[in-house]
Every structure is written in structure tokens, then in C-alpha cells.
Amino acid sequence: QEYSEDLFLKHKIVAANKMDLPGAAAHLRRFRSQYQKEEIFPVSALKKKGLNELIGFIRELLSNPAS
């Protein structure tokens, strides 16, 4: 809320990249426990995993902007 109320109210999506690295699952669990209200998508850009889910969610948001 430091920047703008409008920005604060927008939908937030977090892409947790580098999920192919050792220890990534443990980091993701800790991150999710701290940011329980955020949409978090684990991805590995290197291995191209999780990208379809992330892109699909973004498409859904853009096709239904009022939700």
C-alpha cells in the first residue's frame, strides 16, 4: 500500500522460478507459508515446467478482468 491503493487492490501472481534447483521445494513451502493470500506458481523456465499453468491462469484473468 506504500505506492497506491489501486495497485494494492490488483490481483497478484507470483512465479517461483528455478524450481529445478536443489532445495527449491523447501524454499517454496516456506514462501507459501509467508504469502498465503498470493497466487504462487512454481516454475522451472530451464525445464519448461509449470509454465502452462502460469500462462493459463494469466489468460483466465485477462479474459475475465472483473473477477
Side-chain angles (χ1 to χ4, degrees):
Q1 279 179 313
E2 292 178 26
Y3 298 103
S4 147
E5 187 71 22
D6 291 336
L7 183 60
F8 178 75
L9 295 174
K10 289 190 180 278
H11 198 95
K12 296 163 192 67
I13 304 169
V14 177
N17 193 21
K18 301 196 182 283
M19 292 303 299
D20 51 284
L21 295 180
H27 291 300
L28 180 62
R29 281 191 298 277
R30 282 196 308 272
F31 192 78
R32 280 190 163 146
S33 71
Q34 291 177 343
Y35 298 95
Q36 296 177 11
K37 294 181 183 179
E38 309 302 333
E39 298 285 347
I40 301 172
F41 290 87
V43 300
S44 168
L46 178 69
K47 295 187 176 184
K48 296 181 171 80
K49 292 189 176 183
L51 297 173
N52 289 336
E53 293 83 357
L54 174 61
I55 292 167
F57 187 79
I58 293 169
R59 278 190 182 133
E60 183 68 26
L61 277 179
L62 292 174
S63 66
N64 300 311
S67 55

